[in-house]
Amino acid sequence: LRLRDSMAGERTFSFDSHGLAIDTASTNLAKPGEAYVPVYYPGTADPQSASRIDVRPGADVRGIDFILAGVTTRKVRGAVFNGVTGQPADTANVQLVPRSSVGNTFSGFLNQGKFEVSGVLPGSYFLVANARVGPGNDVRIMGGRTAVDVGYSDLDNINVTLQPAIDVAGSVTVEGRPEGLPSD
C-alpha cells in the first residue's frame, strides 16, 4: 500500500497479522513500541464506533481519505499459575483477546511461569491462558482468564490461574433428518 504523506512525501506501508499498518520505508521505520492503526469514519480507531459509508454500484465517491494514526503500543506482563499445585505453570498459551467481537488478538510467551505480551494496542481484553498438563495419556486441559484494560502505560503483575477443565456428560438429540444426509 502506498500512501501520500503531506509532510514526508510518498511512503510505503504493509499490514501485519493484526491488521496494523507498518511503515516499510527504509528511512521512516516505525520505532519499537509504535504501530500505525487505521482510523475509521468519523475519526475513530475503534471499529465498533465506526459509521458505515454506503457506496452504490457505479457511484463516484470523492473526498474520502484513508488515515493511519501512529499509536504507542504497550506491554502486558505477569505470571500464570497452576491452580492445582499453586506453582508457576511450566507451559501455557497466553493471549489477549478483545472483549468486543472486533479487534486484534495478541499472543505472548511463557518463560518459567512468567509471560510478556508486547505490541498491544489500548483497549479492553481478556487475558486467556490454557495448557495441556500431565504425562502420556494422563493429560488434563487447564485454562483461566482475567479481564484486562490496557490504557496509556504498560501493565505489570497480571496473574492468571489455570483450573482443570470439567467433563460434561450428556447426549444430543436432533429432530428430523437434515437435508442431504443419506437414509439408513
Side-chain angles (χ1 to χ4, degrees), residues 17-108:
S17 62
H18 300 298
L20 303 179
I22 307 300
D23 185 347
T24 56
S26 59
T27 58
N28 292 313
L29 290 174
K31 298 174 189 167
E34 291 183 351
Y36 290 92
V37 295
V39 176
Y40 303 97
Y41 180 79
T44 178
D46 178 10
Q48 295 285 76
S49 300
S51 295
R52 173 183 293 226
I53 299 174
D54 289 323
V55 179
R56 304 258 182 236
D60 185 10
V61 179
R62 297 176 186 263
I64 295 177
D65 295 320
F66 291 91
I67 299 171
L68 299 173
V71 297
T72 301
T73 60
R74 301 295 172 205
K75 293 180 182 177
V76 177
R77 294 182 279 271
V80 178
F81 293 93
N82 181 318
V84 174
T85 66
Q87 298 298 311
D90 294 328
T91 62
N93 296 316
V94 179
Q95 288 187 316
L96 281 171
V97 179
R99 282 191 240 165
S100 69
S101 61
V102 178
N104 299 313
T105 298
F106 300 93
S107 298

Side-chain angles (χ1 to χ4, degrees), residues 1 11 15 63 68 73 84-85 90 132 177-178 180-181:
L1 175 64
R11 295 166 67 181
F15 291 91
L68 299 173
T73 60
V84 174
T85 66
D90 294 328
R132 296 171 56 96
R177 177 174 301 288
L181 287 180

Side-chain angles (χ1 to χ4, degrees), residues 92-168:
N93 296 316
V94 179
Q95 288 187 316
L96 281 171
V97 179
R99 282 191 240 165
S100 69
S101 61
V102 178
N104 299 313
T105 298
F106 300 93
S107 298
F109 58 89
L110 190 70
N111 183 11
Q112 298 178 345
K114 297 189 182 298
F115 70 86
E116 179 176 299
V117 182
S118 59
V120 179
L121 297 175
S124 296
Y125 300 90
F126 285 115
L127 178 63
V128 178
N130 57 60
R132 296 171 56 96
V133 179
N137 292 333
D138 192 27
V139 173
R140 283 187 283 169
I141 305 297
M142 298 182 74
R145 77 176 190 177
T146 189
V148 175
D149 290 309
V150 178
Y152 298 104
S153 61
D154 293 346
L155 296 178
D156 289 306
N157 302 316
I158 306 297
N159 296 328
V160 179
T161 301
L162 299 173
Q163 298 295 335
I166 59 171
D167 293 329
V168 177

